[in-house]
Structure formats: structure tokens, C-alpha cells
Amino acid sequence: MTDSPDLPDLPDLTAFEGVLFDLDGVLTPTAEVHMRAWKTMFDELFAAWKIEPAYTDRDYFEYVDGKKRYDGVASLLRSRDVEVPWGDPSDDPSEDTVCGVGNRKNEVFSRILRSEGIAPYPGSVALLDLLQAAGTPIAVVSSSKNAVEVLDAAGIRERFPVVMDGVIAERDNLSSKPAPDVFAEAARLLGVDPARSVAVEDALSGVQSAVAAGYGVVVGVDRGVGADDLRAAGATVVVDDLAAFVD
């Protein structure tokens, strides 16, 4: 059971030094775009390679969801008894390798973002408005290498002076969530003390990362993971939507 917006124990987030947000599932429903990108790419690939049976949403949940991009490609192709060379992450999207196919999906993802955009969660935008009006520093802490592109497509990039993403993490050799590295470094870049700041996450690994980095409050946003699991991972408070902090 998630905490009700009416409960008095929801903290006033404007009272903290900073509030640092995960992106996918917290600010934007990016998972939906990823799912559509996989379907578009695999539909095209299956037609070109004459692979049967056709790709379905069930394939996404069975073979792709939750896996690293290239692992998802290999798993899905293997389900159709298709084996191709692994290749290298630098492979061109046109190459018939696992990495090439994975990079092809990333191109489709970018194409969908450019053509259709993505709308941020209204409750999240309302909270951003409240924090910015109060002068509370905010940042994004995302594992995605597409974070800036997603923020641009959602029309909220300019709100964040600090965007800690997968590109920076790779460049600076920072360990990914659930290690504390990215949340710790983002707080340093924002100029805030984690112990006096708030982290907002919807994933268990993200909650664990923020807890390990010593954040004073860790808000879990339950988009389906489960409130009990978020609390078990260390979330201080759990809500269904960030509008709970505004209403």
C-alpha cells in the first residue's frame, strides 16, 4: 500500500538542499517509447530476414525487458533459433551483428523521440514547478545514455543545471546503480550535501544507490515495482505519483 498524499508524514521537499531525480519512470514514461522502438525495429528486422513467428509484446517481456540492450537482442534472436556474431558496440546499425541490431534499435528510439516527442508526467512537472519557485536546486541522475535527448524531447532539459547520465558515468568510470557513485557525484556537481537532500527513484537499484550515497530522504515512486519492495530497498516514503507532494 502506497502512502496517501493526505498523510502528514510526506516531507516538504522545498525544505531540503536539493532534490535529485531519476529520469525513466520518474519524470518521463520512457519505457513505453523503448517498448515501441523494440517492436518497430524487430518488425522491420523480422520482415527483412524472413524470421517467424512475428515479434509480439510478449517477446518484449520474456526476452528483452530488464536486460542490457545487446543481451536482449541476443536473447530474442535465440528464441527464433537465429545466431549472429556478437560484434562490437561501435558497430554501424546496418551491420548484422548483435551490437549492430542493438544500435539499430537505438536509432529507432531516437527517431520516435524526434518525430513524436514524449510528455513528462504532469505530477512530476508540478513538483518541478514547486521546487523551482522555491529556489530548490534540482538535478537528473539517470543510467541512460539517451537522458539528454529524452529531456530535450520532453521539453524539460533547461530546468536541470546538472544531468548525471550514462555518458558521463562511462567517461568518468563511475559504477552504475545500485552503487552510490552516480548519486554521490551528482550531489557534488549540484553543490549539495546528500544527507540534506532528496533522491527520487522508481527502481530498486536506484533506491539502493541513493541510500548508499547517504541521502537524507529517498522517495520511491511506485510505477509498478511495488511499495513494499521499494521500502525494503530503503525508500523513506513511497507515493504513486509525485503530485502527492504538491496537492
Side-chain angles (χ1 to χ4, degrees):
M1 179 179 179
T2 54
D3 297 310
S4 165
D6 300 323
L7 289 179
D9 59 355
L10 285 181
D12 175 7
L13 300 191
T14 65
F16 292 84
E17 282 192 12
V19 181
L20 293 85
F21 297 85
D22 177 42
L23 177 59
D24 298 349
V26 170
L27 298 177
T28 58
T30 329
E32 297 170 13
V33 182
H34 282 293
M35 191 171 177
R36 288 174 52 208
W38 280 114
K39 177 169 174 52
T40 300
M41 188 276 293
F42 275 126
D43 281 349
E44 295 171 356
L45 185 75
F46 280 26
W49 290 7
K50 296 180 170 56
I51 297 174
E52 293 182 346
Y55 177 82
T56 66
D57 287 347
R58 178 167 181 168
D59 286 319
Y60 173 79
F61 291 111
E62 270 195 52
Y63 303 112
V64 176
D65 188 30
K67 292 186 173 71
K68 292 181 180 179
R69 192 193 316 161
Y70 302 135
D71 290 340
V73 170
S75 179
L76 189 281
L77 292 179
R78 201 171 299 121
S79 77
R80 300 301 197 273
D81 295 321
V82 176
E83 295 282 349
V84 296
W86 188 271
D88 184 84
S90 64
D91 284 356
D92 187 88
S94 65
E95 293 190 45
D96 293 337
T97 62
V98 168
C99 292
V101 172
N103 293 343
R104 208 174 302 180
K105 177 265 172 180
N106 209 42
E107 277 200 338
V108 175
F109 177 82
S110 297
R111 190 171 77 212
I112 293 173
L113 276 184
R114 288 194 300 269
S115 64
E116 301 179 20
I118 186 170
Y121 291 108
S124 301
V125 173
L127 177 56
L128 295 180
D129 289 343
L130 179 70
L131 293 170
Q132 290 188 287
T136 305
I138 57 177
V140 167
V141 186
S142 171
S143 299
S144 174
K145 291 184 178 180
N146 301 109
V148 171
E149 186 176 15
V150 171
L151 289 166
D152 280 334
I156 55 175
R157 169 65 184 93
E158 72 284 353
R159 291 177 180 258
F160 299 98
V162 171
V163 176
M164 166 58 64
D165 62 5
V167 175
I168 295 174
E170 184 176 88
R171 182 196 71 193
D172 295 349
N173 295 312
L174 301 175
S175 296
S176 59
K177 304 170 184 178
D181 303 32
V182 289
F183 266 110
E185 178 64 5
R188 188 189 70 79
L189 292 172
L190 193 60
V192 299
D193 179 359
R196 295 183 175 87
S197 299
V198 179
V200 187
E201 268 283 357
D202 72 317
L204 301 179
S205 62
V207 168
Q208 292 163 348
S209 173
V211 170
Y215 277 73
V217 170
V218 180
V219 175
V221 184
D222 183 12
R223 306 285 191 195
V225 170
D228 290 342
D229 288 339
L230 287 166
R231 287 194 189 90
T236 313
V237 61
V238 178
V239 295
D240 291 324
D241 191 274
L242 293 180
F245 293 100
V246 179
D247 298 338

